[in-house]
Amino acid sequence: MTQAPLAAKATRRRHDREILALAVPAFGALVAEPLFVMVDSAIVGHLGTRQLAGLAIAAALLTTAVSVFVFLAYATTAAVARRVGAGDFRAAIQQGMDGIWLAILLGAGVIAVTLPAAPWLVDVFGASPTAAPYAITYLRVSSLGIPAMLVVLAATGVLRGLQDTRTPLYVAVGGFGANAALNGLFVYGFGFGIAGSAWGTVIAQCGMAAVYLVVVVRGARRHGASLRPDPGGIRAGARAGVPLLVRTLSLRAVLLIATAVAARLGDADIAAHQVILSLWSLTAFALDAIAIAGQAIIGRYLGAGDVRGAREACRRMVQWGVVSGVVFGVLIVLARPLFVPLFTGDQVVRDTLVPALLVVAVTQPVSGVVFVLDGVLMGAGDGRYLAGAMVVTLAVFAPVALAVPSWGGGLTALWWAMGLMMAVRLVTLWGRTRSGRWLVTGATR
């Protein structure tokens, strides 16, 4: 064997080790997040279809309230990783502390809006009169945990940028276990109903935030970073997050439109949609584990000025994304008889659910590549392009999804529209990575 193939093989192995070291623990941490919603769905689903329908509306709103600020994790990961690549650990942690203070401020603002606006928000989503009271109750209680979840996002970004995905895994596993136990206790043990499920989740989220704060504060003290809020640093973090906020708002608009359309199809459709969306989110977070590795690895390579290493890592992660997507698609098809009964005993909901679930399985390989490329460009700090690409995707998806009720295709047609959305994202992200314009080196972009 010649030297060139040997060198290429060694490079692939090195990238595989890097990806595995970050992606495997990130996978566990990311999967734990949608499992929070899945546990709530499984427990609440056995209270009744109306309760599950209410949860579907509230969960979509809560996920949006938290996910629009996901830049607290993504932008922080990329920025911290670049500074790590440049060898400046003190500046890396200081930037992370500014992100945590920003998270606290944003969380307080979200609570102030959500509590009084809960009935209006639920009504806008088209909840039926029977499901609306449950949605309002769950939304109001669960909104109290939003500041904690934003702190978790920011602190997770710091640790990922420092190439540490193990600590988030441990915290996520502990939080998931606490959430499941508390939900079961409050809903069935104390008879609190859907409110008990919400309170269990809030307590688990606050516990996770407390653990993260202890870890980050220790790191700040070790590297001499200040714990005090820096107004200039907080403003800079907010400005850097604006493009990713636009990108995330556009993505959340896609998911909100899908939920609103499903709600107008009927209680059985929205209940089935909630189950499918929970599973789709689970696979999305799982595939996103490679993207998380991409954010940390690409940011570090570009911070160190290694363009070739960044290109090679990107290529290898795309290959991982394709294979992972195929595996998840097959698992969905094979395991559907096992997990569908866990969420509902309503035969109408089950009959509505299964055909749409097969659409999700078919589109998993596309999703695998999309999430990887999304992570690569985030790691490069290419937020402006990501924002524009997602706005274009929303413009294509919205009219197609909104036309579903008039077409009569039901929930299956709606999930084909979701497949179209992922295809558009693939085209826009693939074109950008091929151009090489994202390869900007240095400690800051």
Side-chain angles (χ1 to χ4, degrees), residues 390-402:
M390 199 61 227
V391 169
V392 169
T393 302
L394 173 61
V396 173
F397 169 80
V400 176
L402 292 173

Side-chain angles (χ1 to χ4, degrees), residues 14 39 56 74 79 137 142 200 214 231 284 308 348-349 397 412 416 421:
R14 185 179 76 252
V39 166
Y74 291 162
T137 297
S142 292
V214 170
R308 180 180 177 182
V348 176
V349 175
F397 169 80
T412 301
W416 275 119
M421 178 270 294

Side-chain angles (χ1 to χ4, degrees), residues 208-232:
M208 293 170 65
V211 173
Y212 271 119
L213 287 174
V214 170
V215 173
V216 174
V217 166
R218 285 178 178 173
R221 288 174 174 168
R222 185 166 56 251
H223 292 285
S226 174
L227 299 177
R228 296 179 180 179
D230 176 10

Side-chain angles (χ1 to χ4, degrees), residues 41-358:
S41 299
I43 291 175
V44 172
H46 288 285
L47 293 176
T49 299
R50 290 175 299 175
Q51 288 88 339
L52 184 58
L55 173 65
I57 300 295
L61 288 164
L62 286 163
T63 303
T64 299
V66 174
S67 296
V68 294
F69 301 116
V70 75
F71 70 83
L72 291 167
Y74 291 162
T76 302
T77 298
V80 171
R82 276 182 177 269
R83 293 187 183 277
V84 168
D88 192 350
F89 284 87
R90 181 181 180 279
I93 299 234
Q94 185 63 61
Q95 190 155 10
M97 287 302 306
D98 293 336
I100 290 173
W101 281 110
L102 177 60
I104 294 171
L105 294 173
L106 292 173
V110 173
I111 286 181
V113 171
T114 304
L115 284 177
W120 177 80
L121 291 169
V122 168
D123 184 62
V124 166
F125 262 72
S128 69
T130 56
Y134 299 105
I136 293 169
T137 297
Y138 192 91
L139 179 59
R140 280 180 166 161
V141 175
S142 292
S143 66
L144 300 177
I146 289 175
M149 286 311 296
L150 297 190
V151 168
V152 167
L153 286 176
T156 300
V158 177
L159 297 179
R160 289 173 181 167
L162 294 171
Q163 318 293 294
D164 175 11
T165 55
R166 290 184 179 273
T167 300
L169 170 61
Y170 301 147
V171 176
V173 170
F176 169 71
N179 179 62
L182 290 169
N183 275 350
L185 177 64
F186 290 166
V187 173
Y188 297 125
F190 296 158
F192 291 166
I194 196 170
S197 176
W199 277 116
T201 301
V202 168
I203 294 171
Q205 290 166 343
C206 290
M208 293 170 65
V211 173
Y212 271 119
L213 287 174
V214 170
V215 173
V216 174
V217 166
R218 285 178 178 173
R221 288 174 174 168
R222 185 166 56 251
H223 292 285
S226 174
L227 299 177
R228 296 179 180 179
D230 176 10
I234 293 173
R235 286 194 298 269
R239 285 195 299 270
V242 168
L244 289 180
L245 177 61
V246 173
R247 170 257 181 204
T248 303
L249 283 172
S250 300
L251 177 58
R252 293 309 309 174
V254 166
L255 300 179
L256 289 174
I257 288 171
T259 299
V261 170
R264 283 162 174 77
L265 294 174
D267 279 1
D269 291 87
I270 184 60
H273 178 74
Q274 170 62 17
V275 175
I276 296 173
L277 191 60
S278 296
L279 181 66
W280 186 84
S281 298
L282 177 64
T283 60
F285 276 106
L287 292 169
D288 211 27
I290 305 172
I292 295 301
Q295 291 175 31
I297 293 171
I298 295 297
R300 192 188 74 237
Y301 274 126
L302 294 179
D306 188 352
V307 171
R308 180 180 177 182
R311 281 188 179 277
E312 291 174 345
C314 174
R315 187 179 304 113
R316 190 58 176 165
M317 282 184 281
V318 168
Q319 294 170 356
W320 276 69
V322 173
V323 173
S324 299
V326 171
V327 170
F328 280 118
V330 172
L331 286 175
I332 289 172
V333 173
L334 296 179
R336 74 184 187 280
L338 300 177
F339 62 76
V340 169
L342 295 176
F343 293 96
T344 178
D346 190 323
Q347 190 59 47
V348 176
V349 175
R350 292 185 185 184
D351 292 342
T352 304
L353 188 156
V354 172
L357 193 61
L358 295 178

